[in-house]
Amino acid sequence: MIVVTGGARSGKSAHVEGLVARQYSQVLYIATSTVTDDEMAARIARHRAQRPAHWRTLECYRDLDAVIRQQVQPGEAVVIECITTLLANLLYDASGGADPDTLDFDALENGLQQQIDALITACQQTRAPVYIVTNELGMSITPENRLARHFVDIAGRANQKLARAAEEVWLVVSGIGVKIK
């Protein structure tokens, strides 16, 4: 398991795609974004266009442990892009879009962290190399609203779990990847 982290627009995706393309011809690309508006549709289209056309793509964000166990083919590497988006989608689904002041963030985080724990277990059990992209949210200011603060906390703890379990961790800054583990 290889984790690649960095800020938004830091070059994480390009870094991972370069690492993978140099070593593997067969790749399962798990895209966790969903189209929510025209701007997001354009972002997803740009990401699709920059990936090699022969890579297989699955667009999903739930139960990635089962996806890894059931979908990975022999000789294939896996790219998961990205954990931060996965967590945002899962948090929205679990909260139902309710007012943040009414949410039990401990219970919500417990469910999200169970998904991360199951993903880590699946990554450790598969023979396929799994490259995981995630945003480092802890290098910014503390958000002003409650939902965003809790999301940064949840993502930070998930990233720490992933990094502890990973064989390698890369930090990408301004398009330059630095191996930190």
Side-chain angles (χ1 to χ4, degrees), residues 3-14:
V3 172
V4 178
T5 190
R9 308 303 152 258
S10 63
K12 298 178 303 292
S13 298

Side-chain angles (χ1 to χ4, degrees), residues 27-39:
V27 177
L28 171 60
Y29 195 98
I30 302 171
T32 64
S33 292
T34 58
V35 175
T36 54
D37 56 33
D38 291 342
E39 185 264 340

Side-chain angles (χ1 to χ4, degrees), residues 129-146:
V130 180
Y131 293 77
I132 299 174
V133 178
T134 189
N135 286 289
E136 174 51 60
L137 302 178
M139 297 174 121
S140 184
I141 61 171
T142 302
E144 68 179 51
N145 72 73
R146 183 171 189 238

Side-chain angles (χ1 to χ4, degrees), residues 102-177:
T102 66
L103 298 176
D104 179 349
F105 283 101
D106 290 335
L108 289 169
E109 180 173 0
N110 185 48
L112 273 60
Q113 296 296 350
Q114 287 176 12
Q115 290 268 331
I116 297 298
D117 292 340
L119 173 61
I120 289 169
T121 299
C123 290
Q124 292 169 334
Q125 293 173 346
T126 185
R127 292 178 179 252
V130 180
Y131 293 77
I132 299 174
V133 178
T134 189
N135 286 289
E136 174 51 60
L137 302 178
M139 297 174 121
S140 184
I141 61 171
T142 302
E144 68 179 51
N145 72 73
R146 183 171 189 238
L147 178 61
R149 284 191 302 274
H150 280 283
F151 182 73
V152 168
D153 292 345
I154 291 166
R157 285 188 280 271
N159 286 346
Q160 289 177 47
K161 278 184 182 184
L162 290 163
R164 276 193 304 272
E167 291 179 39
E168 292 181 18
V169 178
W170 291 80
L171 174 64
V172 179
V173 179
S174 299
I176 299 170

